[in-house]
Amino acid sequence: MIEGACKVLQTERNGLTLLMEALRQALGNTGDAAVAASGLGDAFIRTIEVLSTPARRVVVTGMGKSGHIGRKIQSTLASTGTPSIFVHPAEASHGDLGMLQPGDAILALSNSGETSELADIVSHARRFGLLLIAMTAHAESTLARAADISLVLPHAPEACPMGLAPTTSSTMQLALGDALAIVLLTRRGFGADDFGVFHPGGRLGAQLRSVRELMHTGPGMPLGAPDLPLRQVIMEMTRKAFGCMGVVGPDGALVGLITDGDLRRALEQDIDGTRAADIMNTNPQTIRPDALAVDALRIMNDRPRPITSLFVLDAEHHPIGILHIHDLLRAGVA
């Protein structure tokens, strides 16, 4: 059984290798004549160029397994900054063609290129001048010949022993869709902040929240002057319960940090004569308010001795908040 499973994965991996070689032919990096003849690399570049047009919406469609793959591609496009919808080809023939708008680009998936249910969408695209992009394995198919751009997948055997069930072909469709979405993401300059807008829920959404959203502000921050006596440092840290105290200079800028560890070591000294400036760390780890919560977690953990609190500073180095590891836990980041 395991050997059979591995054979399936190997067959599909071989298909992805052919797909990558077909893309690379646009760079002149392949000597495979059959792969080069497909022109996939050049078609991919043209597709990226036309889909990068501002306000260009992508309408993805497909039937059967290609439809399932198309839904996933559409979802990935939408979540990475490319406006998109999925239109079922059968429903399109019964009114859903009204969902298509001038300026849309249609991405139609069909391994054979002869899916009859796509006929009405193809006709609609031709009638109203909508850009039609085909993703198919057959360059001479009806769909490919009707399309403005054809993303022709290289021929690769299906993993199904009968060569019938869409397996390798579906994997290549999915991978090529991911490649389109991520290249478009990069070309649009779509960043983590943009990603967070589209993914507000779950752990991913929590990681993409900003430090500003989670930090404590105002009187709750444990702060004191450099000349604050050690006894008062202890009282401030006990009242605020963050396990630390920020030391601020006359201009309000953070000049140091005292942690529980610093405090324990200081108790071996003259407690009455010790001041905050005597025991503070003058180069504490801090963070900006617009940083992501996941960045705060990384800063806290990626060190020999993990820390539990971070002061949040503005551009003038003034503390405007404090973030505790418990805040990240409650938000679902950690």
Side-chain angles (χ1 to χ4, degrees):
M1 288 188 290
I2 297 300
E3 285 299 323
C6 290
K7 185 177 180 180
V8 170
L9 297 179
Q10 182 64 56
T11 301
E12 296 197 0
R13 184 170 71 174
N14 291 342
L16 292 178
T17 299
L18 287 174
L19 182 65
M20 185 169 60
E21 291 173 354
L23 283 171
R24 280 183 170 165
Q25 63 84 20
L27 302 176
N29 288 339
T30 179
D32 189 323
V35 167
S38 72
L40 178 60
D42 294 328
F44 184 91
I45 292 171
R46 290 175 58 204
T47 300
I48 293 297
E49 289 174 348
V50 297
L51 297 188
S52 298
T53 304
R56 170 85 79 179
R57 189 179 66 163
V58 182
V59 178
V60 185
T61 188
M63 196 71 187
K65 301 297 187 295
S66 291
H68 295 311
I69 297 298
R71 288 184 184 275
K72 192 277 177 185
I73 292 174
Q74 181 273 316
S75 177
T76 301
L77 287 169
S79 69
T80 52
T82 299
S84 61
I85 61 170
F86 180 86
V87 174
H88 194 285
E91 297 295 339
S93 301
H94 296 275
D96 280 4
L97 284 174
M99 299 170 68
L100 278 62
Q101 302 173 358
D104 283 347
I106 300 173
L107 175 60
L109 283 70
S110 171
N111 187 50
S112 68
E114 302 295 344
T115 305
S116 59
E117 290 87 352
L118 291 173
D120 288 339
I121 287 184
V122 171
S123 297
H124 187 86
R126 298 280 64 83
R127 179 182 177 186
F128 292 98
L130 303 180
L131 182 72
L132 178 61
I133 303 167
M135 187 184 293
T136 179
H138 298 276
E140 298 303 318
S141 64
T142 302
L143 178 61
R145 285 187 281 107
D148 298 292
I149 303 173
S150 292
L151 298 167
V152 180
L153 303 173
H155 290 290
E158 300 286 9
C160 167
M162 295 175 291
L164 299 176
T167 47
T168 306
S169 57
S170 296
T171 299
M172 289 194 293
Q173 287 179 332
L174 182 61
L176 188 58
D178 284 343
L180 284 171
I182 300 307
V183 173
L184 284 168
L185 173 154
T186 304
R187 192 178 178 98
R188 293 175 186 274
F190 190 87
D193 290 343
D194 304 301
F195 203 79
V197 171
F198 298 145
H199 299 77
R203 186 174 181 183
L204 179 59
Q207 291 178 334
L208 293 172
R209 294 178 67 182
S210 69
V211 168
R212 188 189 303 276
E213 296 177 71
L214 302 177
M215 68 185 188
H216 301 265
T217 60
M221 291 189 293
L223 298 171
D227 61 352
L228 193 69
L230 188 57
R231 291 182 182 275
Q232 293 185 36
V233 171
I234 296 172
M235 292 175 61
E236 177 71 2
M237 290 176 63
T238 301
R239 283 196 301 267
K240 304 300 174 61
F242 281 97
C244 66
M245 187 193 84
V247 183
V248 292
D251 62 351
L254 189 76
V255 296
L257 179 74
I258 299 173
T259 66
D260 283 333
D262 299 321
L263 199 58
R264 286 192 296 271
R265 288 185 289 273
L267 293 177
E268 301 175 359
Q269 305 174 20
D270 176 13
I271 191 170
D272 293 317
T274 302
R275 298 290 185 267
D278 300 327
I279 63 171
M280 69 183 185
N281 171 11
T282 58
N283 187 33
Q285 183 68 62
T286 60
I287 197 167
R288 289 297 180 89
D290 295 328
L292 297 179
V294 67
D295 292 330
L297 180 63
R298 176 182 51 78
I299 291 172
M300 289 179 175
N301 288 331
D302 289 356
R303 48 199 309 113
R305 292 185 177 181
I307 57 180
T308 58
S309 294
L310 285 174
F311 270 99
V312 185
L313 307 184
D314 62 15
E316 285 73 41
H317 216 63
H318 295 154
I320 58 173
I322 185 170
L323 184 69
H324 195 274
I325 185 66
H326 289 166
D327 302 317
L328 300 178
L329 290 169
R330 281 191 293 269
V333 178

Short mmCIF file of all heavy atoms in Angstrom, two decimals, residues 211-244:
data_model
loop_
_atom_site.label_atom_id
_atom_site.label_comp_id
_atom_site.label_asym_id
_atom_site.label_seq_id
_atom_site.Cartn_x
_atom_site.Cartn_y
_atom_site.Cartn_z
N VAL A 211 0.77 45.29 17.15
CA VAL A 211 1.10 45.45 18.56
C VAL A 211 0.21 46.51 19.18
O VAL A 211 -0.23 46.40 20.34
CB VAL A 211 2.59 45.81 18.71
CG1 VAL A 211 2.90 46.27 20.13
CG2 VAL A 211 3.46 44.61 18.32
N ARG A 212 -0.10 47.55 18.43
CA ARG A 212 -0.94 48.64 18.93
C ARG A 212 -2.29 48.14 19.44
O ARG A 212 -2.84 48.67 20.42
CB ARG A 212 -1.15 49.68 17.83
CG ARG A 212 -1.84 50.96 18.29
CD ARG A 212 -2.19 51.83 17.10
NE ARG A 212 -1.02 52.16 16.29
CZ ARG A 212 -0.20 53.16 16.56
NH1 ARG A 212 -0.42 53.91 17.62
NH2 ARG A 212 0.83 53.40 15.77
N GLU A 213 -2.83 47.10 18.79
CA GLU A 213 -4.13 46.57 19.15
C GLU A 213 -4.10 45.81 20.47
O GLU A 213 -5.14 45.66 21.13
CB GLU A 213 -4.64 45.64 18.06
CG GLU A 213 -4.90 46.29 16.73
CD GLU A 213 -5.33 45.27 15.69
OE1 GLU A 213 -6.45 44.76 15.81
OE2 GLU A 213 -4.54 44.97 14.79
N LEU A 214 -2.94 45.31 20.87
CA LEU A 214 -2.86 44.43 22.04
C LEU A 214 -2.17 45.05 23.24
O LEU A 214 -2.29 44.53 24.35
CB LEU A 214 -2.10 43.14 21.64
CG LEU A 214 -2.69 42.34 20.48
CD1 LEU A 214 -1.78 41.15 20.15
CD2 LEU A 214 -4.09 41.85 20.80
N MET A 215 -1.45 46.14 23.06
CA MET A 215 -0.61 46.68 24.14
C MET A 215 -1.44 47.38 25.22
O MET A 215 -2.57 47.82 25.00
CB MET A 215 0.40 47.66 23.56
CG MET A 215 -0.20 48.94 23.02
SD MET A 215 1.05 50.00 22.22
CE MET A 215 0.08 51.50 21.91
N HIS A 216 -0.86 47.46 26.43
CA HIS A 216 -1.43 48.22 27.54
C HIS A 216 -0.87 49.64 27.49
O HIS A 216 0.31 49.84 27.19
CB HIS A 216 -1.07 47.58 28.88
CG HIS A 216 -1.54 46.17 29.00
ND1 HIS A 216 -2.72 45.81 29.61
CD2 HIS A 216 -0.97 45.00 28.58
CE1 HIS A 216 -2.87 44.50 29.57
NE2 HIS A 216 -1.82 43.98 28.95
N THR A 217 -1.71 50.61 27.80
CA THR A 217 -1.28 52.01 27.72
C THR A 217 -1.62 52.74 29.01
O THR A 217 -2.28 52.20 29.90
CB THR A 217 -1.96 52.72 26.54
OG1 THR A 217 -3.38 52.67 26.73
CG2 THR A 217 -1.61 52.05 25.22
N GLY A 218 -1.19 53.99 29.07
CA GLY A 218 -1.57 54.87 30.17
C GLY A 218 -0.97 54.50 31.51
O GLY A 218 0.17 54.00 31.59
N PRO A 219 -1.72 54.73 32.60
CA PRO A 219 -1.19 54.52 33.96
C PRO A 219 -0.82 53.07 34.25
O PRO A 219 -0.12 52.79 35.23
CB PRO A 219 -2.37 54.95 34.86
CG PRO A 219 -3.22 55.82 34.01
CD PRO A 219 -3.08 55.29 32.63
N GLY A 220 -1.27 52.15 33.41
CA GLY A 220 -0.95 50.75 33.65
C GLY A 220 0.49 50.39 33.35
O GLY A 220 0.95 49.30 33.72
N MET A 221 1.22 51.28 32.68
CA MET A 221 2.61 50.99 32.35
C MET A 221 3.51 51.18 33.57
O MET A 221 3.42 52.21 34.25
CB MET A 221 3.11 51.90 31.22
CG MET A 221 2.48 51.63 29.88
SD MET A 221 3.29 52.58 28.55
CE MET A 221 2.83 54.27 29.00
N PRO A 222 4.40 50.22 33.87
CA PRO A 222 5.32 50.36 34.99
C PRO A 222 6.52 51.22 34.59
O PRO A 222 7.39 50.78 33.84
CB PRO A 222 5.74 48.91 35.27
CG PRO A 222 5.62 48.22 33.96
CD PRO A 222 4.49 48.89 33.23
N LEU A 223 6.55 52.45 35.09
CA LEU A 223 7.60 53.39 34.71
C LEU A 223 8.16 54.09 35.94
O LEU A 223 7.45 54.26 36.95
CB LEU A 223 7.06 54.44 33.73
CG LEU A 223 6.54 53.93 32.38
CD1 LEU A 223 5.86 55.05 31.62
CD2 LEU A 223 7.69 53.34 31.56
N GLY A 224 9.41 54.49 35.85
CA GLY A 224 10.03 55.22 36.95
C GLY A 224 11.25 55.99 36.47
O GLY A 224 11.78 55.73 35.37
N ALA A 225 11.71 56.93 37.27
CA ALA A 225 12.87 57.76 36.93
C ALA A 225 14.17 57.04 37.28
O ALA A 225 14.19 56.11 38.10
CB ALA A 225 12.79 59.09 37.67
N PRO A 226 15.29 57.44 36.69
CA PRO A 226 16.57 56.79 36.97
C PRO A 226 16.99 56.85 38.44
O PRO A 226 17.68 55.96 38.93
CB PRO A 226 17.56 57.57 36.09
CG PRO A 226 16.72 58.11 34.97
CD PRO A 226 15.40 58.43 35.61
N ASP A 227 16.56 57.93 39.14
CA ASP A 227 16.97 58.07 40.54
C ASP A 227 15.96 57.47 41.52
O ASP A 227 16.06 57.68 42.73
CB ASP A 227 17.20 59.55 40.87
CG ASP A 227 15.93 60.39 40.68
OD1 ASP A 227 14.94 59.86 40.14
OD2 ASP A 227 15.95 61.58 41.07
N LEU A 228 15.00 56.67 41.00
CA LEU A 228 14.00 56.06 41.87
C LEU A 228 14.67 55.04 42.80
O LEU A 228 15.39 54.15 42.33
CB LEU A 228 12.93 55.37 41.03
CG LEU A 228 11.64 54.95 41.75
CD1 LEU A 228 10.84 56.19 42.15
CD2 LEU A 228 10.79 54.05 40.85
N PRO A 229 14.46 55.16 44.13
CA PRO A 229 15.06 54.20 45.07
C PRO A 229 14.57 52.77 44.81
O PRO A 229 13.45 52.56 44.31
CB PRO A 229 14.59 54.70 46.44
CG PRO A 229 14.26 56.14 46.23
CD PRO A 229 13.73 56.23 44.83
N LEU A 230 15.39 51.81 45.13
CA LEU A 230 15.08 50.42 44.85
C LEU A 230 13.77 49.98 45.50
O LEU A 230 13.01 49.21 44.92
CB LEU A 230 16.24 49.52 45.32
CG LEU A 230 16.15 48.05 44.91
CD1 LEU A 230 16.03 47.90 43.40
CD2 LEU A 230 17.35 47.27 45.43
N ARG A 231 13.51 50.47 46.73
CA ARG A 231 12.25 50.10 47.40
C ARG A 231 11.03 50.53 46.57
O ARG A 231 10.06 49.79 46.46
CB ARG A 231 12.18 50.74 48.79
CG ARG A 231 13.19 50.17 49.78
CD ARG A 231 13.02 50.81 51.15
NE ARG A 231 14.01 50.30 52.10
CZ ARG A 231 13.87 49.19 52.79
NH1 ARG A 231 12.76 48.48 52.66
NH2 ARG A 231 14.82 48.80 53.63
N GLN A 232 11.12 51.71 45.97
CA GLN A 232 9.99 52.19 45.16
C GLN A 232 9.93 51.47 43.82
O GLN A 232 8.84 51.29 43.24
CB GLN A 232 10.11 53.70 44.96
CG GLN A 232 9.92 54.48 46.25
CD GLN A 232 9.92 55.98 46.02
OE1 GLN A 232 9.41 56.47 45.03
NE2 GLN A 232 10.50 56.72 46.97
N VAL A 233 11.08 51.03 43.32
CA VAL A 233 11.09 50.20 42.11
C VAL A 233 10.32 48.91 42.36
O VAL A 233 9.49 48.48 41.55
CB VAL A 233 12.54 49.88 41.67
CG1 VAL A 233 12.53 48.84 40.55
CG2 VAL A 233 13.26 51.14 41.22
N ILE A 234 10.58 48.30 43.53
CA ILE A 234 9.89 47.07 43.90
C ILE A 234 8.39 47.32 43.99
O ILE A 234 7.58 46.51 43.50
CB ILE A 234 10.43 46.52 45.23
CG1 ILE A 234 11.90 46.12 45.08
CG2 ILE A 234 9.61 45.34 45.71
CD1 ILE A 234 12.58 45.76 46.40
N MET A 235 7.99 48.43 44.58
CA MET A 235 6.57 48.74 44.72
C MET A 235 5.91 48.95 43.36
O MET A 235 4.80 48.46 43.11
CB MET A 235 6.40 49.98 45.59
CG MET A 235 6.79 49.76 47.05
SD MET A 235 6.71 51.29 48.03
CE MET A 235 4.97 51.69 47.88
N GLU A 236 6.60 49.66 42.46
CA GLU A 236 6.04 49.91 41.12
C GLU A 236 5.88 48.61 40.35
O GLU A 236 4.84 48.38 39.70
CB GLU A 236 6.96 50.87 40.36
CG GLU A 236 6.54 51.17 38.92
CD GLU A 236 5.29 52.03 38.80
OE1 GLU A 236 4.74 52.45 39.85
OE2 GLU A 236 4.86 52.28 37.65
N MET A 237 6.87 47.75 40.42
CA MET A 237 6.80 46.49 39.70
C MET A 237 5.72 45.58 40.29
O MET A 237 5.03 44.86 39.57
CB MET A 237 8.16 45.79 39.73
CG MET A 237 9.21 46.49 38.88
SD MET A 237 10.87 45.75 38.99
CE MET A 237 10.56 44.12 38.32
N THR A 238 5.54 45.63 41.60
CA THR A 238 4.52 44.81 42.25
C THR A 238 3.12 45.29 41.88
O THR A 238 2.22 44.48 41.61
CB THR A 238 4.70 44.84 43.77
OG1 THR A 238 6.01 44.37 44.11
CG2 THR A 238 3.66 43.97 44.46
N ARG A 239 2.91 46.61 41.86
CA ARG A 239 1.59 47.17 41.55
C ARG A 239 1.18 46.88 40.11
O ARG A 239 0.03 46.54 39.82
CB ARG A 239 1.59 48.69 41.78
CG ARG A 239 1.50 49.14 43.22
CD ARG A 239 1.12 50.61 43.30
NE ARG A 239 2.09 51.45 42.60
CZ ARG A 239 3.13 52.03 43.18
NH1 ARG A 239 3.32 51.87 44.49
NH2 ARG A 239 3.96 52.78 42.50
N LYS A 240 2.13 46.99 39.18
CA LYS A 240 1.79 46.87 37.76
C LYS A 240 1.85 45.42 37.26
O LYS A 240 1.25 45.10 36.23
CB LYS A 240 2.73 47.74 36.93
CG LYS A 240 2.73 49.21 37.36
CD LYS A 240 1.37 49.86 37.23
CE LYS A 240 1.32 51.27 37.78
NZ LYS A 240 2.22 52.22 37.13
N ALA A 241 2.57 44.55 37.92
CA ALA A 241 2.57 43.10 37.66
C ALA A 241 2.94 42.72 36.22
O ALA A 241 2.36 41.80 35.64
CB ALA A 241 1.21 42.51 38.01
N PHE A 242 3.91 43.43 35.64
CA PHE A 242 4.42 43.03 34.33
C PHE A 242 5.79 42.35 34.43
O PHE A 242 6.34 41.94 33.42
CB PHE A 242 4.55 44.25 33.41
CG PHE A 242 3.25 44.68 32.81
CD1 PHE A 242 2.52 45.71 33.38
CD2 PHE A 242 2.75 44.05 31.68
CE1 PHE A 242 1.31 46.13 32.84
CE2 PHE A 242 1.55 44.45 31.13
CZ PHE A 242 0.82 45.49 31.71
N GLY A 243 6.32 42.27 35.65
CA GLY A 243 7.62 41.64 35.81
C GLY A 243 8.77 42.51 35.37
O GLY A 243 9.90 42.01 35.19
N CYS A 244 8.52 43.80 35.20
CA CYS A 244 9.59 44.70 34.77
C CYS A 244 9.15 46.14 35.05
O CYS A 244 7.99 46.41 35.39
CB CYS A 244 9.90 44.52 33.29
SG CYS A 244 8.55 45.02 32.19
#
